[in-house]
Amino acid sequence: MSSILIENIRELAGIDYQTRILLSGKEMTDFETLHNAYVYIKEGKIEAFGKMDRDVIYKIRQQNPDVLIMDASGRLVFPAFCDAHTHLVYPASREIEYIDKIKGLSYEEIARRGGGILNSAARMQMASEDELFSSASVRIEEIMSMGTGAVEIKSGYGLTTDSELKMLRVIKRLKENHPVRIKATFLGAHAVPQQYKGRQSEYVDLIINEMIPMVVAEDLADYIDVFCDKGFFTVEDTDRILNAGMKYGLRPKIHANELARSGGIQVGVKYNALSVDHLEFTEDEEIEVLRGSETMPVVLPGAAFFLNMPYAPARKMIDEGLPLAMASDFNPGSSPSGNMQLILSMASILYRLTPEEGLAATTINGAYAMGLSEELGSIAVGKTANLCVTRPIPGLAYLPYYYGTNKVDKLILDGEICVEH
Ligand code: NIG
Ligand code: FE
């Protein structure tokens, strides 16, 4: 395994000297940076970092004559993005619905007509594992080229036992074939399939009695999710599913409060969810429930932007002292982009996060929401060397500011250069 010494870094961002697993409230804007810095990577880990110092650099080079020297003059180096919420395995794009949306139909109206998730589910029946694997691989390469080093991927376009298992097997294959770190989430409760219309609780029974046991038997999922929202699954459905998941050792990550104050945050916290995601409809009561819990609130700016929906009170949550993550929600219906640099821009422009807060939300706190933050998400000695090196840019603030283009020049994962533009 090679070692790399990155020298003359204009700005090294996302530093955590205490190797914490998440940052809350004010800690987020205190996510530190260093100017004129170095990072030394050895055996896939961050071995050392600090201000450029001639003696230290000389010593490292002496001790390790084979070290690859990378000059990062004028460049920003930061932890690779940790995207804690995506649906990036899907059979086909849905730009037709997008036109309906532009003409004024709501997300719920499209769903009621058999569009939306059910449209993807119908196509999923016909897609082969090979087709799904190859189209998702293209998306993974695309997000890596923009700096993502860890990603969570959900099932939920299957909605039959066979198709859900098919999706999860594809995710397993992606894990085995890509250097990016992947976590798999079982989302059988994404929508009620057509054939169960009016018999929602029977579909919940199917999830509990058939899908969960089979998913666990094949060890296909790290987490379990439910779309707990108006017009989708109720708090009672969610409670039953999470209870069953818990018995099989599956920790929840919940879709909550995207379309209404659904009670999803409360039921998620009740089951010690790793995260509750979306949160557009969040008020003081939900903020109090989150306070003191181990559940990460995850906001998905791409979905609110794309659907023209209200924005979650992210600024307020941080001001109230909560931690906060932001993820892409990469999916064909409500957020057809996995570009975390764009999420960072939205974090500042739409939600008023500082560049440091945005970086914390898309790196260390995202890593927490995937159960990976002991290893990933910040510049800390001993953590896995998953880093982005940008093209020459003035500094961290330029990353969200100069929106819409790719500023990442190199992606280093497990100490190896995986992307080089
Ligand atoms: O996170 N909200 C529920 N699920 C997805 C949308 C999936 C789709 O429309 O295909 C989301 O936005
Ligand atoms: Fe989602």
Side-chain angles (χ1 to χ4, degrees):
M1 202 177 248
S2 56
S3 49
I4 305 176
L5 178 58
I6 313 177
E7 298 184 350
N8 302 314
I9 301 166
R10 172 178 268 171
E11 188 172 358
L12 177 63
I15 296 169
D16 178 27
Y17 293 100
Q18 301 167 54
T19 322
R20 288 165 289 192
I21 56 168
L22 58 83
L23 300 180
S24 302
K26 210 182 139 331
E27 291 169 348
M28 291 177 70
T29 208
D30 293 340
F31 209 17
E32 283 189 59
T33 71
L34 265 182
H35 292 267
N36 194 26
Y38 78 92
V39 176
Y40 178 36
I41 298 167
K42 200 176 153 192
E43 284 162 11
K45 304 264 187 259
I46 298 172
E47 174 82 5
F49 68 90
K51 276 257 188 213
M52 278 298 283
D53 175 316
R54 227 190 268 172
D55 296 341
V56 173
I57 296 294
Y58 179 77
K59 224 164 114 190
I60 293 171
R61 288 181 180 221
Q62 283 284 312
Q63 281 169 0
N64 193 346
D66 296 332
V67 68
L68 175 78
I69 307 289
M70 192 185 282
D71 180 50
S73 296
R75 296 163 192 263
L76 174 77
V77 174
F78 63 96
F81 292 116
C82 300
D83 189 353
H85 181 136
T86 81
H87 310 248
L88 69 71
V89 173
Y90 59 81
S93 59
R94 304 205 318 246
E95 62 279 6
I96 302 296
E97 287 170 22
Y98 167 69
I99 310 286
D100 288 340
K101 238 167 254 165
I102 293 168
K103 289 184 179 156
L105 285 192
S106 74
Y107 185 75
E108 286 157 290
E109 282 163 340
I110 290 170
R112 244 183 274 127
R113 290 178 166 197
I117 297 165
L118 295 184
N119 180 352
S120 285
R123 296 195 192 202
M124 181 60 76
Q125 305 293 327
M126 295 170 309
S128 72
E129 267 184 49
D130 285 346
E131 285 162 357
L132 293 166
F133 175 76
S134 78
S135 61
S137 290
V138 172
R139 289 175 207 123
I140 291 209
E141 273 157 33
E142 183 183 73
I143 62 172
M144 282 174 63
S145 80
M146 295 184 291
T148 295
V151 63
E152 182 256 16
I153 311 173
K154 299 172 195 296
S155 69
Y157 292 129
L159 309 183
T160 63
T161 305
D162 284 350
S163 278
E164 283 295 308
L165 291 172
K166 175 166 72 179
M167 282 191 80
L168 289 166
R169 288 188 195 118
V170 170
I171 300 171
K172 186 172 185 185
R173 204 163 139 196
L174 294 168
K175 281 189 188 185
E176 292 160 359
N177 285 280
H178 292 278
V180 63
R181 199 69 59 89
I182 296 174
K183 289 285 187 182
T185 300
F186 167 59
L187 175 57
H190 198 189
V192 179
Q194 209 82 58
Q195 62 272 30
Y196 280 90
K197 274 271 136 67
R199 299 186 293 129
Q200 178 148 336
S201 67
E202 287 175 41
Y203 182 59
V204 172
D205 292 339
L206 180 77
I207 292 173
I208 292 172
N209 299 325
E210 187 172 294
M211 292 189 190
I212 293 176
M214 290 180 81
V215 166
V216 172
E218 264 192 67
D219 195 17
L220 291 173
D222 300 294
Y223 303 112
I224 187 165
D225 194 345
V226 176
F227 188 8
C228 180
D229 226 319
K230 191 173 137 210
F232 290 83
F233 292 87
T234 64
V235 169
E236 195 201 337
D237 298 331
T238 309
D239 200 290
R240 287 180 60 208
I241 294 167
L242 298 191
N243 194 37
M246 191 177 70
K247 291 188 181 139
Y248 283 90
L250 291 174
R251 197 166 171 194
K253 282 169 68 66
I254 299 294
H255 277 77
N257 299 40
E258 177 185 7
L259 307 170
R261 283 182 76 199
S262 63
I265 295 176
Q266 286 84 341
V267 69
V269 170
K270 176 178 167 194
Y271 284 94
N272 193 30
L274 188 54
S275 71
V276 287
D277 306 19
H278 275 292
L279 315 182
E280 281 78 3
F281 292 87
T282 298
E283 294 187 13
D284 291 347
E285 187 186 320
E286 284 83 6
I287 291 179
E288 284 316 310
V289 168
L290 284 163
R291 201 192 299 284
S293 75
E294 290 175 0
T295 301
M296 177 65 71
V298 179
V299 168
L300 308 171
F305 170 74
F306 189 83
L307 298 178
N308 233 332
M309 301 278 285
Y311 294 119
R315 177 72 270 152
K316 181 167 180 191
M317 288 192 252
I318 296 173
D319 290 342
E320 294 269 346
L322 294 185
L324 187 98
M326 287 193 172
S328 75
D329 198 13
F330 194 1
N331 77 71
S334 66
S335 189
S337 168
N339 182 349
M340 290 296 278
Q341 294 178 58
L342 191 54
I343 297 302
L344 201 55
S345 296
M346 290 179 182
S348 353
I349 298 161
L350 306 176
Y351 296 84
R352 299 288 161 209
L353 269 58
T354 65
E356 289 81 5
E357 287 170 333
L359 188 66
T362 51
T363 59
I364 183 165
N365 286 354
Y368 179 90
M370 284 187 270
L372 287 172
S373 64
E374 281 177 15
E375 238 191 294
L376 299 179
S378 61
I379 307 291
V381 171
K383 275 200 173 178
T384 297
N386 275 22
L387 309 172
C388 293
V389 181
T390 68
R391 59 181 166 78
I393 64 172
L396 174 61
Y398 192 86
L399 208 51
Y401 156 81
Y402 199 74
Y403 77 97
T405 60
N406 190 4
K407 276 80 65 188
V408 169
D409 183 43
K410 291 185 186 61
L411 177 70
I412 299 173
L413 296 182
D414 293 303
E416 305 286 338
I417 301 171
C418 291
V419 172
E420 204 162 8
H421 288 293

mmCIF file of all heavy atoms in Angstrom, residues 85 87 154 255 278 329, ligand 2:
data_model
loop_
_atom_site.group_PDB
_atom_site.id
_atom_site.type_symbol
_atom_site.label_atom_id
_atom_site.label_comp_id
_atom_site.label_asym_id
_atom_site.label_seq_id
_atom_site.Cartn_x
_atom_site.Cartn_y
_atom_site.Cartn_z
ATOM 1 N N HIS A 85 -27.953 9.543 2.307
ATOM 2 C CA HIS A 85 -29.329 9.213 1.899
ATOM 3 C C HIS A 85 -29.425 9.268 0.376
ATOM 4 O O HIS A 85 -29.414 10.346 -0.213
ATOM 5 C CB HIS A 85 -30.294 10.220 2.544
ATOM 6 C CG HIS A 85 -31.748 9.999 2.244
ATOM 7 N ND1 HIS A 85 -32.730 10.088 3.213
ATOM 8 C CD2 HIS A 85 -32.410 9.713 1.090
ATOM 9 C CE1 HIS A 85 -33.917 9.856 2.671
ATOM 10 N NE2 HIS A 85 -33.743 9.634 1.366
ATOM 11 N N HIS A 87 -31.128 6.975 -3.290
ATOM 12 C CA HIS A 87 -31.861 5.848 -3.903
ATOM 13 C C HIS A 87 -31.221 5.675 -5.287
ATOM 14 O O HIS A 87 -31.894 5.792 -6.297
ATOM 15 C CB HIS A 87 -33.338 6.187 -4.087
ATOM 16 C CG HIS A 87 -34.041 6.733 -2.876
ATOM 17 N ND1 HIS A 87 -35.022 6.032 -2.224
ATOM 18 C CD2 HIS A 87 -33.933 7.921 -2.206
ATOM 19 C CE1 HIS A 87 -35.495 6.770 -1.203
ATOM 20 N NE2 HIS A 87 -34.848 7.914 -1.181
ATOM 21 N N LYS A 154 -30.616 2.970 -0.764
ATOM 22 C CA LYS A 154 -31.819 2.288 -0.287
ATOM 23 C C LYS A 154 -32.424 1.403 -1.359
ATOM 24 O O LYS A 154 -32.316 1.703 -2.552
ATOM 25 C CB LYS A 154 -32.872 3.334 0.106
ATOM 26 C CG LYS A 154 -32.411 4.254 1.235
ATOM 27 C CD LYS A 154 -33.400 5.387 1.435
ATOM 28 C CE LYS A 154 -32.802 6.502 2.280
ATOM 29 N NZ LYS A 154 -32.473 6.116 3.637
ATOM 30 N N HIS A 255 -37.643 8.110 6.660
ATOM 31 C CA HIS A 255 -38.134 9.245 5.867
ATOM 32 C C HIS A 255 -39.264 9.877 6.679
ATOM 33 O O HIS A 255 -40.308 9.243 6.873
ATOM 34 C CB HIS A 255 -38.748 8.768 4.556
ATOM 35 C CG HIS A 255 -37.778 8.506 3.457
ATOM 36 N ND1 HIS A 255 -36.994 7.400 3.398
ATOM 37 C CD2 HIS A 255 -37.498 9.241 2.331
ATOM 38 C CE1 HIS A 255 -36.266 7.448 2.285
ATOM 39 N NE2 HIS A 255 -36.550 8.551 1.624
ATOM 40 N N HIS A 278 -35.331 14.261 5.754
ATOM 41 C CA HIS A 278 -36.243 15.203 5.064
ATOM 42 C C HIS A 278 -36.551 16.376 5.990
ATOM 43 O O HIS A 278 -35.968 17.426 5.863
ATOM 44 C CB HIS A 278 -37.536 14.549 4.560
ATOM 45 C CG HIS A 278 -37.386 13.918 3.218
ATOM 46 N ND1 HIS A 278 -37.186 14.633 2.070
ATOM 47 C CD2 HIS A 278 -37.392 12.619 2.846
ATOM 48 C CE1 HIS A 278 -37.087 13.807 1.055
ATOM 49 N NE2 HIS A 278 -37.202 12.572 1.499
ATOM 50 N N ASP A 329 -30.119 12.706 -1.459
ATOM 51 C CA ASP A 329 -31.386 12.033 -1.798
ATOM 52 C C ASP A 329 -31.411 11.603 -3.276
ATOM 53 O O ASP A 329 -32.499 11.434 -3.843
ATOM 54 C CB ASP A 329 -32.594 12.938 -1.481
ATOM 55 C CG ASP A 329 -33.903 12.175 -1.395
ATOM 56 O OD1 ASP A 329 -33.869 10.936 -1.327
ATOM 57 O OD2 ASP A 329 -34.966 12.823 -1.418
HETATM 58 FE FE FE B 2 -35.350 9.511 0.048
#
